[in-house]
Each structure stands twice: as structure tokens, then as C-alpha cells.
Amino acid sequence: MRAAWYENRGPARKVFQVGELPTPEPGPGELRIRLAFSGINPGDVKKRQVWLGAAAPAFPRTVPHSDGAGVVDAVGDGVSAAWIGRRAWCSYAQSYRPYGTAAQYTVVPEGCVGALPDTVSAEQGACLGIPGITAHRAVFVDGPVTGRTVVVAGALGSVGRAAAVLARRAGAQVIGTVSRPGQVAALRELGVDRAVCAGDDLVDAVLALTGGRGADRVVEVAFDANAALDARLLAPGGTIAAYATHEPAPALPFWPLAFKNATVRLLGYDDFPREAVRLALPDITAAAAASALRYPVAAVHPLDEVATAHEAVEHPGTPGRVLLSLPD
């Protein structure tokens, strides 16, 4: 099969190789997908970079990317043959595993694969995995959100978009934040109950919409920058579910959070319980099938341009997801 890989961490143009590798065979409990598209996430870029002091890659050879979409063409022992020929989207292909979706074929545990409805393009299917599963965990890790108020920080981002959609479909009142006033209209198109620019106006808006009580959940993309703000707008007993931070050792506003008996959950996608992934797959698939969850695609690059694609994720110009297209 044609694939892209690296054997050392470093700049994309220095470490990526593209060529032929053996086509993988599914083991027990696994499916093989012939991929049409591979989704590139910031985490895929960080695994390739020298990030947080990690110099050596985890494997002698790494085919990157965890997310993708295509057609199942083989199954391992214990997996129903009914999967063969079905369109599918997947995640966790390169989570503690050496061979991800930057290849014509990938092998994934069955519990990390969702059926891709005919109404959802393979491009959109390749966008669903890491963002959708992270968003689902952030929204639902502390139980149902029906009748609750959920604040989604950075709701036009990949995870934020999915969190806003999933929370709204589950019956929550959703307040989404953006960084610039010009983004408010785009956020309203997601169906949020209120779109607000981040800052002090957010606290006022949340308190006004909740009768002074505050938000039950905050889905946070920038914990270091927003922890103090989140503490102000959080309801007693509320939860901050943070999946990213710029500063690796952020300050924590201990007493404001303690006085509210708040929960701070730090979410690392690679280590989510498999039961959480199982619960997320049908909800994400249903949101995509209903056209509620759709991603703007900034660029689609052929496999041979994998380095260019990674650079587009590192230094985004056009908003939206970056994908690789795989050869037939």
C-alpha cells in the first residue's frame, strides 16, 4: 500500500517519507478500512514534533493520524463479516499504535469504528473522530445535560463545534463563545442559544440566562487563559471539562473553584475509557447524519503532500479542517 511515515520527530519536510509499506491484516477484534480520506488533528502534528520534551517517537516507524473514513474490506476474528463493504469512519488508528490513517489501508479495533451513513461524505467522516469523541466526553462525562446550561469555549473550533451540537441535541441550553465579534453570526448557525464574545460580557450573559445561577458545564479549549473566568461563571457543583491549554503548567484559581465545589476534568483523548468511545460513536454519527454536525474543510492534499498538509495545520490560514486524500 502507499503510505506516509516518519522514523524521527522533527519538521514535517525533514522527517516525512512517502512510499510502499505492507498492507496490514486485521487481528482479532479489528477491522481493515480502505481509506478515502485521512483527517489531520493538532495532536497528530504534536506527536510528530519534538513536543513536551519528547525527542524519540514511540515506534521505529509511525504512519500518522488517528481519524479517517472509507470502506471496510476485511475483518479479524470475532468481528461480523457484515461489516465488509460498509462505509465507515474511524478513530484511534494511531493511538498507542504505529500505523494510522495516512495510508491506503488502516486496521482499527471494532469499538473505534462507526458506520458512515450514505448521506455523509467520506470527507466529513474523516473529520469526526478526535474532535467528536473529545467533545462527547467533555459534554457527557458528568452525566446527561438535559435542562442544563453548557458553555462551549471556542465553539467554532473542531471540538467546540461538536460539543455545541451534541449538547444542544441532548437538550441543553448552549452558550457558545468566539474570539471576535465577526464570528458571532457563524456561531448562531450552529443553533446555539446564545453566541457571545469571550470576556467579561460572557459572565454577564451566562448569569442573565441562568437567573444568576451560572453554567453547569464548561467545555474549555484554553484552560490557562480562561480558568479564572470559568470559575466566575460556573454554577455551584459545576464542571469545567478542559481538553487543551497553551501553558503546560497553568495556574489554578483554587478558592473561587473550591467555594463552588467545582469539578475540574482534564481530558486526554488517547486515554478515554473504551466505554466512553462506544457511547460517543452513535451520537456523533446521528449528528452527522442529521447534517447538524458539519465541518468546513480548508484544504484536501494528496498523500504525497503530507508535509504541506501538516504545515497547514501548524500554521492555519483558512479556517477549517485539513485532510489527506488517499489514492484508489
Side-chain angles (χ1 to χ4, degrees), residues 11-282:
R13 291 187 182 273
K14 289 187 176 181
V15 301
F16 267 123
Q17 302 178 57
V18 179
E20 297 286 334
L21 291 178
T23 301
E25 295 295 331
E30 295 180 334
L31 302 87
R32 187 174 70 194
I33 301 174
R34 181 169 185 128
L35 293 156
F37 294 93
S38 173
I40 308 175
N41 291 280
D44 300 315
V45 171
K46 291 173 182 174
K47 287 178 180 179
R48 188 257 308 153
Q49 294 171 326
V50 179
W51 185 63
L52 295 182
F59 305 100
R61 174 187 292 153
T62 300
V63 175
H65 310 166
S66 281
D67 296 349
V71 176
V72 177
D73 82 323
V75 298
D77 290 343
V79 179
S80 171
W83 271 107
I84 296 176
R86 295 182 67 182
R87 302 174 75 240
W89 65 275
C90 69
S91 199
Y92 288 94
Q94 206 267 299
S95 178
Y96 297 111
R97 300 161 65 87
Y99 296 135
T101 64
Q104 288 178 293
Y105 294 88
T106 195
V107 168
V108 190
E110 182 181 16
C112 303
V113 178
L116 188 64
D118 291 338
T119 55
V120 181
S121 69
E123 292 97 324
Q124 286 295 311
C127 296
L128 298 177
I130 288 177
I133 293 169
T134 301
H136 194 279
R137 181 70 171 165
V139 171
F140 297 108
V141 63
D142 285 289
V145 294
T146 305
R148 306 273 187 169
T149 298
V150 178
V151 171
V152 179
L156 288 180
S158 296
V159 175
R161 180 180 296 265
V165 168
L166 293 170
R168 191 72 183 86
R169 286 172 59 85
Q173 176 178 239
V174 178
I175 302 168
T177 79
V178 290
S179 57
R180 299 188 300 275
Q183 297 173 313
V184 169
L187 184 51
R188 288 185 181 133
E189 293 176 3
L190 286 180
V192 300
D193 296 280
R194 182 74 181 269
V196 184
C197 280
D200 287 344
D201 288 347
L202 173 61
V203 176
D204 294 338
V206 171
L207 295 178
L209 285 170
T210 59
R213 182 173 181 274
D216 300 290
R217 312 273 169 89
V218 178
V219 178
E220 185 54 74
V221 64
F223 185 71
D224 57 327
N226 296 331
L229 183 70
D230 293 342
R232 291 171 58 198
L233 61 80
L234 200 64
T239 297
I240 301 170
Y243 60 91
T245 182
H246 177 73
E247 170 57 53
L252 183 73
F254 179 84
W255 289 116
L257 291 171
F259 292 151
K260 290 187 176 180
N261 283 277
T263 296
V264 176
R265 290 194 177 272
L266 307 181
L267 305 180
Y269 152 91
D270 282 320
D271 299 293
F272 288 163
R274 282 295 178 260
E275 176 64 11
V277 178
R278 185 189 68 79
L279 293 172
L281 294 177

